[in-house]
Amino acid sequence: MAGMNPLHFQLEAPFGFSLSQATDFYAGFAPMGGAAQQRARKLQLAFRLDDSFEAVSATLQQVGTRLDVELEGTKDVALVSRQLSRMLGLSVDGRAWAALGQADPTLGALKQFFPGFFTAGFPSPYEAGVSGVLSQRSSVRQAAALRRRLSEAHGTQVGGLFVMPSPEQLLHVKAFAGIPAPKLEVLHGLARAALVGKLDADLLRELPVEVALERLQQLKGIGPWTATHMLVRGCSAQDVLPTTEPRVLRAFTLAYGLPASELHRVAEAWRPFRTWACIVLMRNLARAGQWEAVPDDFKRRGKAA
């Protein structure tokens, strides 16, 4: 894999899209555990492909309305294109996303801090699930460091970056420092679910939200928070309101000066971009230095994770 010559192809960027904004997000996105890097004016992402779980590296650079992609680890350009489009929101109507900022002046003002940002998700519900489980009863940075160590020890290196273990590789991990046996058992359950297609991103995105969340919560050790995390961030769902994330509620009250109980009402105007709007709110929470203002009892809800 390391010796494979890179392939080059292009993706069309939607109206208003800015790769630099996605790069800024990923550069500070600790849960990716080092599998995303900024390289000069380029964004490098290393991840597992849908279905085959091959480890690939995609390095993107925006040139006008096109994204030049250098690909290592596979020749399946179509599958990589589909996955990147999902992660970055490349298949949406950019003008509709821009119009939402005009229709909601409060949201529009926040979007000005992140011009051209659409979304920036995990590569898959499998990777989001693993990161979510590792973060249970742990800080984000501790979980990210643990994911990095797990990837370096049992994953795959491609394009100079380490990708987390594939489901098959993860099932061969019988013990790992920092991962208690019960948590490793939950991770093995995610690996088995991925191998039999229960974590298929396209399938989960097509289901009604309540049905998708119910299916994910049928997996051992997966509670409401992790299930929502897998659907919203792992599947890059576009129009789910992630009310199990306390920082969304805090970000809403900060931006709108309204009680959290008003979120559902206000968010109706955000359709079909409710998830994206919430990510903008959370980015603003961090920009305002309020990220750690969420009470400790919300940060480490192991059983609600």
Side-chain angles (χ1 to χ4, degrees), residues 157-179:
Q157 187 175 25
V158 60
L161 299 180
F162 283 93
V163 185
M164 75 159 47
S166 68
E168 295 94 337
Q169 290 172 325
L170 188 55
L171 287 171
H172 283 92
V173 179
K174 303 306 180 184
F176 194 80
I179 304 180

Side-chain angles (χ1 to χ4, degrees), residues 211-264:
V211 175
L213 292 175
E214 182 181 359
R215 289 193 181 185
L216 291 171
Q217 289 180 69
Q218 289 173 358
L219 301 173
K220 182 176 180 179
I222 303 302
W225 186 91
T226 305
T228 303
H229 181 65
M230 293 170 68
L231 180 63
V232 171
R233 305 297 290 130
C235 297
S236 294
Q238 181 181 313
D239 194 39
V240 176
L241 196 61
T243 55
T244 58
E245 172 52 70
R247 286 191 175 93
V248 169
L249 305 180
R250 169 66 179 148
F252 171 75
T253 61
L254 175 69
Y256 284 82
L258 296 171
S261 59
E262 289 287 287
L263 173 60
H264 282 86

Side-chain angles (χ1 to χ4, degrees), residues 125-188:
Y126 167 67
E127 292 203 28
V130 171
S131 290
V133 170
L134 292 178
S135 70
Q136 294 175 14
R137 300 188 182 277
S138 177
S139 72
V140 172
R141 296 204 174 277
Q142 287 173 330
L146 184 55
R147 169 179 163 153
R148 185 190 293 264
R149 288 194 284 110
L150 181 66
S151 300
E152 292 174 352
H154 296 285
T156 307
Q157 187 175 25
V158 60
L161 299 180
F162 283 93
V163 185
M164 75 159 47
S166 68
E168 295 94 337
Q169 290 172 325
L170 188 55
L171 287 171
H172 283 92
V173 179
K174 303 306 180 184
F176 194 80
I179 304 180
K183 186 175 285 190
L184 185 58
E185 186 178 350
V186 174
L187 293 176
H188 284 169

Side-chain angles (χ1 to χ4, degrees), residues 12-233:
E12 190 69 31
F15 172 84
F17 175 84
S18 170
L19 180 65
S20 65
Q21 281 294 324
T23 302
D24 288 345
F25 181 93
Y26 279 120
F29 191 46
M32 284 287 284
Q37 281 193 6
Q38 183 174 4
R39 298 186 182 278
R41 296 174 56 242
K42 300 180 181 181
L43 169 64
Q44 183 184 9
L45 298 169
F47 54 93
R48 294 281 172 188
L49 274 184
D50 291 340
D51 304 326
S52 71
F53 301 105
E54 292 177 273
V56 301
S57 166
T59 303
L60 298 86
Q61 181 175 14
Q62 185 164 5
V63 181
T65 61
R66 294 186 179 275
L67 300 177
D68 291 332
V69 185
E70 181 180 289
L71 176 63
E72 296 183 55
T74 184
K75 294 183 179 179
D76 195 336
V77 170
L79 185 55
V80 173
S81 297
R82 188 178 72 190
Q83 203 159 340
L84 287 174
S85 293
R86 184 178 74 223
M87 293 168 66
L88 297 171
L90 302 180
S91 61
V92 307
D93 181 353
R95 287 180 170 79
W97 174 231
L100 179 57
Q102 298 170 357
D104 183 330
T106 300
L107 182 63
L110 298 186
K111 288 182 64 180
Q112 293 304 308
F113 290 110
F114 319 106
F117 179 73
F118 279 38
T119 191
F122 278 91
S124 67
Y126 167 67
E127 292 203 28
V130 171
S131 290
V133 170
L134 292 178
S135 70
Q136 294 175 14
R137 300 188 182 277
S138 177
S139 72
V140 172
R141 296 204 174 277
Q142 287 173 330
L146 184 55
R147 169 179 163 153
R148 185 190 293 264
R149 288 194 284 110
L150 181 66
S151 300
E152 292 174 352
H154 296 285
T156 307
Q157 187 175 25
V158 60
L161 299 180
F162 283 93
V163 185
M164 75 159 47
S166 68
E168 295 94 337
Q169 290 172 325
L170 188 55
L171 287 171
H172 283 92
V173 179
K174 303 306 180 184
F176 194 80
I179 304 180
K183 186 175 285 190
L184 185 58
E185 186 178 350
V186 174
L187 293 176
H188 284 169
L190 285 176
R192 287 189 286 269
L195 288 173
V196 298
K198 291 184 178 180
L199 303 186
D200 182 276
D202 292 333
L203 173 61
L204 290 169
R205 282 165 59 101
E206 291 173 359
L207 292 172
V209 172
E210 296 77 10
V211 175
L213 292 175
E214 182 181 359
R215 289 193 181 185
L216 291 171
Q217 289 180 69
Q218 289 173 358
L219 301 173
K220 182 176 180 179
I222 303 302
W225 186 91
T226 305
T228 303
H229 181 65
M230 293 170 68
L231 180 63
V232 171
R233 305 297 290 130

